[in-house]
Amino acid sequence: ASFARDAADSAAEKYHLTAVQAGQIARRVGAKRMVPFHFSARYAGKENQLYREAEAAFSGMPCP
């Protein structure tokens, strides 16, 4: 979950997932829990944004 959803193009160029994509995959495979990690340095101090996006996608809720 290296990138936020608004940076999906950058994530794709670098062959990484967005937090939303990671959460969606975890939900689809029936994971019991998900632990996002490996954030881009651009999110230093803003990791909560990625956690929120991933958790919303994992739970099936709209992303914040």
Side-chain angles (χ1 to χ4, degrees):
S2 296
F3 294 89
R5 69 180 172 159
D6 62 356
D9 291 339
S10 293
E13 288 172 9
K14 293 174 174 51
Y15 302 100
H16 283 69
L17 295 174
T18 65
V20 171
Q21 291 168 326
Q24 290 170 335
I25 290 168
R27 182 169 37 96
R28 278 189 223 138
V29 301
K32 301 279 187 220
R33 68 182 188 132
M34 176 190 61
V35 181
F37 65 96
H38 184 61
F39 303 137
S40 171
R42 72 174 74 183
Y43 299 103
K46 301 177 192 174
E47 295 87 355
N48 282 337
Q49 174 188 356
L50 298 175
Y51 284 118
R52 284 191 308 269
E53 289 184 11
E55 184 59 36
F58 181 57
S59 67
M61 302 293 292
C63 290

